[in-house]
Amino acid sequence: MNKIIIKSAFTFVFFCIFSCKAQQEFPLKTDYTQIPNNSYLKDINNELDTYVGNYTANFQDKKITLFIAKQNHMFFDRGKYKYYKDVLSVRYIIKNSLGITLQDTQNDTFQSNQIKNTIYSRWVESDDNKILLYYGGTNCRVGWGDIYLKKINSTKISWEYRPNDIILDSNKCPEGIDINIYLPETKDLIFTKQ
């Protein structure tokens, strides 16, 4: 009986040692299509950290506040490609000139499979202090596109938002849904760190 227990324990330990592989880590700028599934694109050089913080700007009688945080080890499932990645996640509040909130995502918890109102980093261009982010759009994916943030100095970033086109019909977007884009559709808008 003791021999069976010892053999079972040995088999279990042997199985654990040889079947468990450590997750492979790669630098953040690595192309996710060129790595094994379930690898980790890690911010080894802390390139994302300089953007973390709360920033404000005014644009067309609106006050925009960005809440930029770093999320480590976020899972992405791109069908054939599955991987983990450190990203910047951007939440925001947009208020009109009367202080009325037009859109507020500050308390939203984003997952990598969520699209609506999600803003997260895709790529860091360290040679010119620029980062590319993906915006999933608002209701019915209206406004989805790219956002570029460029680090000007320790307290200022420049914003550029490039929305993509989308064709809407009643099958994709029922009438009465708010499809306004509240994010500033502009280039070179300066946000100041608070």
Side-chain angles (χ1 to χ4, degrees):
M1 181 74 161
N2 286 342
K3 287 182 180 180
I4 294 172
I5 292 173
I6 292 171
K7 281 184 179 180
S8 296
F10 178 78
T11 304
F12 176 76
V13 170
F14 181 80
F15 175 78
C16 287
I17 290 172
F18 289 101
S19 68
C20 297
K21 296 179 183 176
Q23 184 178 45
Q24 293 183 15
E25 290 183 2
F26 295 90
L28 190 59
K29 293 183 182 183
T30 305
D31 182 351
Y32 69 86
T33 66
Q34 303 299 312
I35 60 174
N37 269 340
N38 296 311
S39 293
Y40 178 24
L41 300 176
K42 186 173 180 161
D43 185 17
I44 296 167
N45 298 321
N46 299 315
E47 296 164 288
L48 302 177
D49 293 347
T50 62
Y51 292 90
V52 172
N54 301 337
Y55 297 82
T56 61
N58 292 300
F59 180 73
Q60 296 180 343
D61 295 326
K62 294 180 191 129
K63 180 180 179 183
I64 302 102
T65 304
L66 303 177
F67 305 94
I68 303 176
K70 184 176 177 180
Q71 286 186 268
N72 294 322
H73 212 259
M74 191 169 173
F75 179 70
F76 289 86
D77 183 348
R78 302 278 188 252
K80 179 177 162 182
Y81 306 104
K82 294 165 183 44
Y83 59 97
Y84 295 84
K85 183 177 180 180
D86 294 342
V87 298
L88 289 180
S89 174
V90 181
R91 292 167 182 83
Y92 53 91
I93 294 177
I94 302 171
K95 295 182 178 185
N96 67 14
S97 59
L98 300 174
I100 297 170
T101 300
L102 301 173
Q103 193 170 34
D104 183 351
T105 68
Q106 181 181 8
N107 296 315
D108 290 358
T109 303
F110 296 134
Q111 304 299 321
S112 63
N113 61 348
Q114 178 183 342
I115 296 175
K116 182 180 171 187
N117 297 326
T118 302
I119 302 175
Y120 61 86
S121 59
R122 293 180 12 186
W123 194 257
V124 177
E125 299 173 12
S126 60
D127 51 332
D128 60 356
N129 294 324
K130 190 184 276 189
I131 189 161
L132 169 63
L133 300 111
Y134 171 78
Y135 173 50
T138 187
N139 293 317
C140 306
R141 296 208 58 215
V142 172
W144 72 277
D146 294 327
I147 296 172
Y148 294 86
L149 296 179
K150 183 174 182 176
K151 191 77 171 173
I152 296 172
N153 59 40
S154 62
T155 60
K156 295 190 184 311
I157 56 175
S158 175
W159 163 282
E160 178 181 354
Y161 168 38
R162 298 180 189 171
N164 289 307
D165 294 331
I166 190 166
I167 296 173
L168 293 179
D169 61 34
S170 59
N171 293 332
K172 293 182 184 177
C173 194
E175 285 188 38
I177 290 182
D178 182 6
I179 56 170
N180 288 310
I181 301 170
Y182 294 103
L183 289 173
E185 296 179 57
T186 190
K187 183 179 179 179
D188 299 327
L189 177 63
I190 304 300
F191 280 83
T192 304
K193 195 170 192 177
Q194 301 304 296

